[in-house]
């Protein structure tokens, strides 16, 4: 398994970061008192010295903060402070997707339930009859057909947001923060548990995360307020509410490269950890399936699909090669189970709207 986790410079392109890193290899030591991973010895490490130099140059050139590669459960390379917490932006979405696996398996959440029976409407903005037909699955797939302003929405998201009513639920893909935030609300309504409590119990504690201390807060940004108004301190997560846009908060996480790598390892293990199935294997398969083709030509016959808050890279035969999600500022989590369970991830400059 290879996990690459850290902070990649903002100058790198979204998929360029992922694909470039996947092609590179390297090795370094770690801090045993903090790490949950062993390290490959110099003699055993399969990463070449030339590969190390290429990775090092790439990370330095792009102003990276931290980066980690784990191969077959052992650290093959690390850069910077892999234990420093970073705001991971849109990687919050696959984290929630994983939590959905348990809630769906237990019957707490029905993927076929529609927003008509869920308490999701914005104040003074009732759903149309067409929008009321959107299902929880379509919210997760970003194919809800509900196009409304959202917390943590970037300017580009707002500019490219389709007109309300332009697509029926299930008909079109649009990277939709309203849908992503709404499924957070659905999760808490249906499970009776906060996203952060569920994350702590399901992942942080069983995986032995070293920097997640379950410090959670919430912030409200009024119209015109900048992200500098946020006082993050040692927080591990926070709700971001922007009432001028939406009643549904974004659910942000701050994780270290090391702790994010643990999530990658769990996914590479098909949801199993120390003999316990933390996430159903079937859910990982279902949530990383291809529901929307978003890039037909990544090169080498590969294409990119969107699943349920995961991106999936496919080969020329339409078979999944890897599972990916990125965040604003070139943050990245990459899992490649088809090639000896390779996984990569990265995090960078702390911007909030993602």
């Amino acid at each position: 398994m290879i996990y690459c986790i850290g902070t990649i410079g903002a100058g790198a392109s979204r998929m360029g970061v992922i694909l470039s890193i996947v092609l590179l290899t390297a090795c370094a030591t770690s801090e045993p008192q903090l790490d949950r991973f062993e390290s490959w010895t110099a003699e055993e490490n399969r990463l070449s010295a030339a590969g190390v130099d290429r990775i090092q140059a790439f990370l330095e050139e792009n102003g990276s903060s931290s980066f980690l590669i784990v191969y077959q459960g052992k650290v093959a390379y690390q850069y910077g402070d892999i234990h420093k917490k970073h705001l991971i932006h849109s990687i919050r979405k696959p984290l929630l997707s994983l939590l959905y696996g348990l809630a769906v398996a237990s019957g707490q959440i029905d993927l076929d339930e529609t927003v008509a029976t869920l308490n999701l409407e914005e104040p003074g903005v009732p759903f149309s009859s067409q929008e009321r037909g959107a299902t929880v699955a379509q919210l997760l797939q970003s194919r809800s057909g509900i196009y409304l302003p959202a917390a943590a929405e970037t300017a580009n998201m707002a500019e490219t947001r389709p007109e309300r009513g332009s697509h029926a639920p299930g008909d079109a893909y649009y990277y939709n923060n309203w849908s992503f935030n709404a499924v957070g609300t659905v999760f808490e309504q249906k499970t009776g548990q906060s996203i952060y409590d569920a994350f702590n119990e399901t992942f942080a504690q069983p995986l032995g995360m070293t920097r997640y201390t379950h410090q959670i807060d919430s912030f409200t940004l009024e119209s015109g307020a900048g992200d500098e108004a946020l006082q993050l301190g040692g927080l591990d997560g926070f709700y971001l509410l922007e009432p001028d846009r939406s009643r549904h908060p974004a659910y942000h996480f701050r994780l270290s490269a090391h702790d994010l790598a643990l999530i990658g390892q769990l996914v590479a293990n098909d949801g199993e950890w120390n003999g316990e199935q933390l996430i159903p294997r079937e859910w990982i398969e279902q949530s990383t399936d291809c529901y929307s083709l978003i890039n037909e030509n990544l090169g080498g016959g590969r294409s990119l699909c969107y699943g349920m808050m995961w991106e999936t890279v496919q080969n020329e035969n339409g078979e999944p090669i890897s599972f990916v999600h990125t965040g604003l500022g070139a943050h990245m989590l990459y899992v490649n189970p088809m090639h000896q369970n390779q996984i990569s991830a990265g995090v960078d400059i702390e911007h909030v709207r993602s």
Side-chain angles (χ1 to χ4, degrees):
M1 307 170 184
I2 294 181
Y3 307 75
C4 309
I5 311 216
T7 303
I8 304 166
S13 66
R14 189 175 190 222
M15 285 307 299
V17 168
I18 296 169
L19 298 178
S20 296
I21 291 171
V22 169
L23 297 174
L24 305 179
T25 50
C27 174
T29 58
S30 58
E31 298 176 83
Q33 73 275 16
L34 294 176
D35 294 345
R36 301 303 182 199
F37 299 105
E38 297 180 3
S39 296
W40 289 100
T41 66
E43 295 75 21
E44 295 174 326
N45 200 312
R46 295 180 60 185
L47 304 183
S48 66
V52 171
D53 291 342
R54 291 171 65 193
I55 292 179
Q56 191 89 1
F58 178 87
L59 296 174
E60 291 176 354
E61 179 183 351
N62 287 282
S64 302
S65 168
S66 55
F67 187 72
L68 178 66
I69 301 176
V70 179
Y71 176 70
Q72 293 184 346
K74 293 183 180 181
V75 173
Y77 176 80
Q78 70 181 57
Y79 176 90
D81 184 357
I82 64 169
H83 296 288
K84 179 182 178 180
K85 288 190 290 193
H86 293 270
L87 186 61
I88 61 171
H89 306 296
S90 285
I91 301 176
R92 66 191 178 97
K93 295 155 189 174
L95 298 185
L96 180 57
S97 178
L98 291 172
L99 290 176
Y100 255 74
L102 284 176
V104 170
S106 67
Q108 292 175 296
I109 294 178
D110 178 0
L111 294 179
D112 294 324
E113 186 172 1
T114 69
V115 300
T117 57
L118 296 166
N119 178 20
L120 298 177
E121 286 188 332
E122 300 288 355
V125 187
F127 291 136
S128 67
S129 57
Q130 175 174 280
E131 291 169 336
R132 287 169 61 84
T135 65
V136 174
Q138 290 164 344
L139 293 173
L140 290 166
Q141 296 161 6
S142 207
R143 300 180 65 91
S144 68
I146 301 175
Y147 306 123
L148 296 169
E153 184 178 53
T154 65
N156 182 66
M157 287 178 181
E159 291 169 2
T160 59
R161 187 193 320 124
E163 294 291 328
R164 285 191 71 186
S166 57
H167 299 290
D171 281 357
Y173 166 83
Y174 159 70
Y175 190 79
N176 190 342
N177 256 23
W178 188 90
S179 290
F180 298 137
N181 294 343
V183 292
T185 300
V186 171
F187 180 87
E188 297 194 339
Q189 288 177 349
K190 292 294 185 178
T191 66
Q193 189 176 33
S194 78
I195 291 169
Y196 299 106
D197 285 346
F199 180 85
N200 186 48
E201 294 175 13
T202 306
F203 300 133
Q205 295 301 317
L207 301 183
M209 290 186 175
T210 63
R211 282 295 181 258
Y212 186 89
T213 57
H214 201 41
Q215 297 183 58
I216 309 301
D217 207 338
S218 62
F219 300 98
T220 298
L221 287 185
E222 302 297 342
S223 178
D227 298 339
E228 64 276 4
L230 305 178
Q231 301 297 317
L232 301 183
L235 293 179
D236 300 284
F238 60 95
Y239 295 101
L240 179 66
L241 183 63
E242 299 185 66
D244 291 341
R245 295 182 175 189
S246 173
R247 57 172 281 229
H248 303 293
Y251 40 91
H252 283 290
F253 282 87
R254 299 179 72 234
L255 296 178
S256 69
H258 173 276
D259 289 351
L260 188 57
L262 293 171
I263 293 290
Q265 182 74 67
L266 175 66
V267 175
N269 292 351
D270 291 326
E272 186 271 337
W273 195 266
N274 290 336
E276 182 179 358
Q277 198 70 37
L278 301 184
I279 301 297
R281 177 194 301 260
E282 296 77 14
W283 176 254
I284 293 178
E285 294 176 354
Q286 182 178 359
S287 62
T288 58
D289 201 357
C290 180
Y291 299 100
S292 302
L293 184 62
I294 56 179
N295 189 333
E296 295 185 69
N297 186 18
L298 291 179
R302 293 168 298 183
S303 58
L304 184 67
C305 289
Y306 206 78
M308 291 184 177
M309 298 202 290
W310 279 101
E311 292 177 349
T312 299
V313 178
Q314 299 184 134
N315 63 19
E316 63 275 10
N317 298 318
E319 299 167 331
I321 299 173
S322 54
F323 317 134
V324 183
H325 215 291
T326 58
L328 186 67
H331 300 64
M332 182 263 290
L333 172 64
Y334 181 102
V335 182
N336 192 335
M338 299 298 290
H339 292 92
Q340 296 181 314
N341 291 320
Q342 171 176 329
I343 301 166
S344 311
V347 263
D348 198 6
I349 302 169
E350 300 203 355
H351 305 293
V352 170
R353 301 182 192 278
S354 64

